[in-house]
Amino acid sequence: MSALWQSVLGEIEVSVSEGIFNTWFKNTEIVSQTNDEIVIGVANIFAKSQFETRYNDLVRETLQKNHTSPARITYTVVTKGKKTRINRETTAPAVNESADSSRSTSYRPTTSPLAARGNLNPRYTFDNFIVGSSNDLAYTASQAVAAHPGEKYNPLYLYGGVGLGKTHLMQAVGNEILKHNPDARVLYVSSETFVNEFLDHIRFKKKGFADKYRNIDVLIVDDMQFIANKEKTQEEFFHTFNFLHQNNKQIIMSSDKPPRSIPTLTERLRSRFEMGMTIDVQMPDFETRCAILKAKAEISGVELNNETVEYLATNIKTNIRELEGALNQLLAYAELHGIEPDISTAEGLLGNVRQSRPQHLTSKQIIDKTAKHFQLAVEEIRSQKRDKHIVTPRQIAMYLLRSELHLSFPKIAGELGRKDHTTAIHSVEKIEKAIKLDFVIREQVASIREKLYV
């Protein structure tokens, strides 16, 4: 069994990014194998969820390449040498509804009501966070941290573009902890606040800086990318991080990119940021955007029809903040004029969304923009060359032709100088999968798409 799984892991390692492999696949094993079933041991319940929902097809395909085709592949959590079977329906631990008295004794009461709230916005809760495929892992991990602060996934590091819900999730953790333990000392700050307070501490000899950040139970820091280039601040945060972590205090952070991609971040901070759970929060898909719009409208006491919801979700794909802004604009206009917020009103108000896009996006524009992004000549993308630095841009161009223009596969193949449309099918499927698993590919596709609609 060991030889089979080592062979499988060897093939998977070259087909996924290093981060994906190290996070999910590296510490796995075959627990048992029969003619009908293979049971694979994984590190935790989140890994189990990921394998069942995202990596099962990859595992099955790789097993088949190694002449093994079980009827069932089952994943089980293996911890501290014990194998624990978990029902397939179970993908996340439930949040503890009662305060754990053994945990609460580690928290010391605070005398300030404002400090008790820790700069948290009480509106940010798990209950009003819309969960979709783009953020399900982040949501589940955040719930686990809220249930067991300082014990699970410490630090928790969320990264992704603006307006995707990272701040909401982090503050929801803080609010959930305070809900079950009002004496917990939770502090939410932006990295900019941390930097400014540290500078004041140096310039004006202000006292109490270290006490403020080290005498707490949960530290939540937003937008960590802004701490880069600030050597003294990074050094101070390094000492703060070590102190809290060594005392089993929970640390939660966010940034717009993974730690390894933040320039001038010191290696010792980068390694510490990645020692817990690092999770990519992705762009919400169409269904998630629809759910967000309906939930936000309901909060305002309005029930939007599906046609209006789908119009907004189709035309605003960037982030949740812009989506919510468009909805608020529509609801405010409808209330002011005493009309129903329908699709015709939305089209009139948000026509600038469509107007900002090319009226006639063409295949040539997509191929030209893709070539320019990768600093290639269009002729190279359309050529028969199989160099890796050309193949990936070509596949991305095919993916964009399909996703943006909805061209048929034979038409896509023709646009890229190919006769066999199966090449286009393979390319589109490969990029669709890569967008979910590979941060670099996702950023490249998002960047090109943004340039198309400028």
Side-chain angles (χ1 to χ4, degrees):
M1 290 190 294
S2 177
L4 168 64
W5 192 240
Q6 288 305 313
S7 178
V8 169
L9 290 180
E11 292 192 34
I12 291 176
E13 186 173 9
V14 299
S15 66
V16 301
S17 69
E18 181 182 358
I20 292 294
F21 182 82
N22 289 337
T23 301
W24 305 115
F25 291 91
K26 188 174 182 179
N27 297 315
T28 57
E29 60 182 295
I30 291 182
V31 174
S32 64
Q33 179 180 0
T34 64
N35 291 334
D36 295 328
E37 181 183 37
I38 285 182
V39 179
I40 298 172
V42 298
N44 52 56
I45 197 166
F46 302 108
K48 178 179 183 294
S49 175
Q50 288 294 294
F51 273 94
E52 290 177 346
T53 59
R54 296 188 179 183
Y55 301 125
N56 189 62
D57 290 343
L58 176 60
V59 171
R60 183 174 292 280
E61 290 170 8
T62 312
L63 282 169
Q64 289 173 349
K65 289 180 182 178
N66 286 270
H67 313 293
T68 304
S69 301
R72 294 186 307 279
I73 301 175
T74 305
Y75 302 97
T76 183
V77 177
V78 178
T79 56
K80 298 180 181 179
K82 298 179 181 180
K83 302 175 180 60
T84 305
R85 290 296 293 269
I86 302 177
N87 292 335
R88 185 175 180 84
E89 293 76 18
T90 303
T91 59
V95 176
N96 188 4
E97 292 299 329
S98 60
D100 185 337
S101 58
S102 65
R103 254 195 346 266
S104 63
T105 57
S106 66
Y107 293 118
R108 284 168 287 179
T110 180
T111 58
S112 168
L114 182 61
R117 291 186 58 187
N119 300 326
L120 298 171
N121 186 331
R123 293 183 301 164
Y124 290 145
T125 67
F126 288 127
D127 291 339
N128 59 23
F129 185 84
I130 304 300
V131 183
S133 61
S134 61
N135 56 30
D136 54 350
L137 178 60
Y139 175 82
T140 307
S142 296
Q143 283 196 315
V145 168
H148 304 284
E151 300 175 22
K152 280 184 173 288
Y153 313 112
N154 195 17
L156 175 63
Y157 195 106
L158 308 180
Y159 68 90
V162 298
L164 300 183
K166 301 187 300 298
T167 298
H168 186 145
L169 264 184
M170 292 194 301
Q171 294 205 34
V173 174
N175 282 319
E176 189 74 11
I177 291 172
L178 288 173
K179 175 182 175 182
H180 297 297
N181 190 350
D183 290 337
R185 293 167 300 168
V186 179
L187 177 62
Y188 165 84
V189 295
S190 66
S191 65
E192 182 181 13
T193 298
F194 185 91
V195 170
N196 291 337
E197 291 185 357
F198 178 61
L199 291 178
D200 286 346
H201 166 67
I202 295 175
R203 290 172 59 196
F204 305 116
K205 304 295 187 295
K206 287 189 175 181
K207 298 181 179 180
F209 177 83
D211 290 340
K212 174 179 179 179
Y213 286 98
R214 298 183 191 183
N215 292 329
I216 54 177
D217 301 299
V218 182
L219 176 61
I220 306 172
V221 186
D222 219 341
D223 296 323
M224 283 302 301
Q225 68 271 15
F226 295 122
I227 205 172
N229 283 323
K230 300 174 177 63
E231 294 180 6
K232 291 294 184 181
T233 306
Q234 288 193 54
E235 182 178 350
E236 177 61 30
F237 192 82
F238 171 79
H239 295 305
T240 298
F241 182 102
N242 279 349
F243 182 88
L244 293 175
H245 195 270
Q246 290 169 6
N247 286 278
N248 298 319
K249 306 303 182 181
Q250 181 67 48
I251 304 165
I252 308 170
M253 297 171 286
S254 78
S255 70
D256 61 353
K257 52 179 69 71
R260 65 180 180 276
S261 298
I262 299 178
T264 70
L265 185 67
T266 61
E267 184 58 37
R268 61 181 185 175
L269 272 183
R270 182 179 291 111
S271 64
R272 279 161 176 76
F273 290 173
E274 293 177 339
M275 67 192 292
M277 174 71 89
T278 304
I279 304 175
D280 180 8
V281 182
Q282 303 174 19
M283 297 282 289
D285 55 27
F286 175 76
E287 290 77 12
T288 304
R289 296 197 299 273
C290 288
I292 290 170
L293 286 166
K294 288 186 176 182
K296 298 289 186 182
E298 287 177 3
I299 291 174
S300 300
V302 177
E303 184 175 348
L304 288 180
N305 59 51
N306 289 335
E307 190 179 25
T308 305
V309 169
E310 290 176 4
Y311 170 80
L312 293 172
T314 299
N315 283 278
I316 301 176
K317 303 178 181 179
T318 51
N319 60 62
I320 299 170
R321 291 175 191 164
E322 186 178 348
L323 193 68
E324 187 173 359
L327 174 64
N328 290 338
Q329 184 181 356
L330 172 63
L331 297 182
Y333 182 90
E335 182 179 3
L336 182 64
H337 292 82
I339 60 176
E340 290 294 323
D342 55 18
I343 188 171
S344 61
T345 306
E347 287 176 338
L349 285 173
L350 306 177
N352 60 318
V353 174
R354 285 182 170 174
Q355 290 169 12
S356 66
R357 300 183 169 203
Q359 294 298 311
H360 301 288
L361 185 61
T362 65
S363 301
K364 183 178 184 303
Q365 287 174 312
I366 289 177
I367 296 171
D368 287 351
K369 293 285 187 182
T370 304
K372 185 175 181 180
H373 179 84
F374 289 100
Q375 298 180 331
L376 296 171
V378 172
E379 293 73 19
E380 289 182 286
I381 286 188
R382 285 197 166 114
S383 72
Q384 301 299 315
K385 294 181 180 179
R386 299 293 302 167
D387 304 67
K388 185 175 181 179
H389 75 282
I390 296 176
V391 170
T392 298
R394 183 186 297 138
Q395 291 173 334
I396 289 176
M398 289 184 175
Y399 167 79
L400 290 170
L401 288 171
R402 181 68 174 178
S403 64
E404 304 306 302
L405 297 182
H406 306 291
L407 297 185
S408 66
F409 289 114
K411 179 67 173 173
I412 292 172
E415 292 288 347
L416 273 301
R418 298 298 187 273
K419 295 180 180 179
D420 186 359
H421 73 279
T422 58
T423 301
I425 296 174
H426 168 74
S427 297
V428 172
E429 289 179 347
K430 183 173 181 179
I431 298 301
E432 284 178 343
K433 185 176 292 186
I435 286 174
K436 296 179 180 179
L437 306 178
D438 192 319
F439 174 77
V440 174
I441 294 292
R442 181 163 56 255
E443 287 292 292
Q444 290 169 338
V445 171
S447 178
I448 296 169
R449 183 178 277 136
E450 183 178 344
K451 291 172 184 175
L452 291 173
Y453 296 132
V454 172

